[in-house]
Amino acid sequence: MSDLLLSVEQVEVVYHDVVTAVQGVNLTARAGQIVCLLGSNGAGKTTTLRAISGFIGLDHARVTGGRIVFAGEDIANAAPHICARAGIALVAERDKVFEQLSVRENLEIGMVAGKTGSQAAGGDRLDLKGIYRFFPELERLTGRQAGFLSGGERQMLAIGSALLTSPRLLLIDELSLGLAPVVVERLAAALTDIRDALGITILLVEQNANIALSIADYGFVMENGRIVLDGDAGRLLAHGDIQEFYLGQGAAAGERRSYRAVKQYARKRRWYG
Ligand SMILES: Nc1ncnc2c1ncn2[C@@H]1O[C@H](COP(=O)(O)OP(=O)(O)OP(=O)(O)O)[C@@H](O)[C@H]1O
Ligand SMILES: [Mg+2]
């Protein structure tokens, strides 16, 4: 496939030389796609994104098997600045912004990083105005200290800063965590606009399958460090197991079952029901 931008092949990640967090993970993203990675707590989603962006090195973890091929180069275990220079930007689960700095200063850091960066995204480089077009809220908040932003504004700032590094691949860890549904919808719509306007590729980690699959082209479901299901977003959205596990149908309120258990249950039901 010529437009394959990212190919994670049989990747294994080990923390502190002892804890295997992901094993045999296969995942691909084609240029211009929005791809989502779903899965419950501890499945290995963050580990996978941090492996792709090189940050696992800071977490005392290593890729101990497989390859992470980005734009034709194996970048497994490359340092974060090498991955950034190649065109990969991560919006992390925590520590998204510099809290002591203003909104504008946070964005300027992204711009500086983008200038020392690469050939990354083709076409015109984004400037502050370009970011404000996607997120007009940030223009109104330009002098505000980032530590005082709401969760949604903070997420916009983190995405804006990442875009200013001119990435080809934008990785977002937990878009919706702790945010009100209306804010999540706003952010999801912005991601679609960003992809359409800039042609970049987005890999989104989410626990909210509904919102992720509504904007994604393709989805992967992870459990216990492995990919257990993947497919076109529309197909996954209609998939009975996904419906049952993530969208809560058939499960008692508050009950959190493993995807595998739901799958086995669903199989049995098909056989015996
Ligand atoms: N710094 C670390 N040291 C040791 N083990 C870790 C570390 N970070 C994560 N792990 C382990 O790796 C596994 C995968 O964790 P990871 O954070 O990647 O999952 P996740 O899918 O992002 O979960 P969540 O939805 O809770 O964010 C877990 O078993 C976790 O305990
Ligand atoms: Mg995580």
Side-chain angles (χ1 to χ4, degrees):
M1 239 185 304
S2 59
D3 60 351
L4 197 62
L5 183 65
L6 173 73
S7 171
V8 174
E9 300 168 5
Q10 291 294 329
V11 161
E12 178 183 270
V13 177
V14 176
Y15 283 96
H16 304 287
D17 294 325
V18 285
V19 183
T20 304
V22 307
Q23 38 195 324
V25 164
N26 292 298
L27 181 157
T28 54
R30 288 193 278 136
Q33 270 189 325
I34 298 179
V35 173
C36 67
L37 179 57
L38 306 170
S40 48
N41 291 123
K45 306 179 300 294
T46 294
T47 301
T48 302
L49 286 200
R50 292 179 75 82
I52 296 166
S53 53
F55 285 96
I56 48 167
L58 307 182
D59 311 331
H60 307 286
R62 276 185 62 75
V63 175
T64 50
R67 304 195 309 156
I68 300 176
V69 182
F70 177 72
E73 303 269 337
D74 187 356
I75 54 157
N77 294 317
H81 70 281
I82 301 293
C83 297
R85 204 173 286 165
I88 299 173
L90 172 68
V91 174
E93 201 173 353
R94 288 176 292 271
D95 303 329
K96 295 177 186 300
V97 298
F98 296 101
E99 299 201 343
Q100 307 298 325
L101 302 182
S102 70
V103 165
R104 194 191 163 95
E105 287 164 341
N106 267 277
L107 292 171
E108 281 170 349
I109 288 174
M111 267 161 73
V112 173
K115 281 199 186 105
T116 57
S118 63
Q119 68 279 28
D124 294 339
R125 209 173 262 293
L126 265 187
D127 55 10
L128 286 182
K129 278 212 168 63
I131 297 302
Y132 295 153
R133 261 198 295 279
F134 295 121
F135 300 117
E137 296 88 334
L138 293 180
E139 186 160 23
R140 287 197 295 277
L141 294 164
T142 184
R144 178 81 53 91
Q145 190 178 328
F148 296 124
L149 297 180
S150 72
E153 292 159 355
R154 194 180 278 242
Q155 188 71 291
M156 289 177 200
L157 180 57
I159 294 169
S161 301
L163 287 177
L164 284 168
T165 68
S166 301
R168 294 171 74 180
L169 175 65
L170 178 64
L171 308 171
I172 303 178
D173 200 353
E174 305 281 7
L175 182 73
S176 72
L177 195 69
L179 302 179
V182 58
V183 177
V184 176
E185 274 170 31
R186 162 85 185 83
L187 287 168
L191 288 187
T192 306
D193 289 347
I194 287 165
R195 186 273 304 271
D196 293 348
L198 305 178
I200 64 173
T201 308
I202 300 175
L203 174 55
L204 182 67
V205 157
E206 255 300 319
Q207 297 215 22
N208 182 335
N210 234 342
I211 197 83
L213 290 170
S214 71
I215 61 164
D217 301 294
Y218 201 88
F220 294 86
V221 180
M222 194 167 202
E223 185 159 298
N224 294 326
R226 295 175 191 278
I227 302 292
V228 291
L229 182 70
D230 69 281
D232 290 332
R235 194 178 75 83
L236 288 186
L237 208 47
H239 197 288
D241 295 348
I242 295 268
Q243 284 288 331
E244 194 158 347
F245 177 45
Y246 287 103
L247 310 179
Q249 293 175 10
E255 190 186 347
R256 195 87 176 128
R257 283 186 284 177
S258 82
Y259 174 77
R260 192 163 307 176
V262 166
K263 195 165 146 185
Q264 278 164 2
Y265 164 74
R267 268 211 206 101
K268 274 193 203 134
R269 204 178 37 183
R270 275 197 286 277
W271 284 13
Y272 304 114

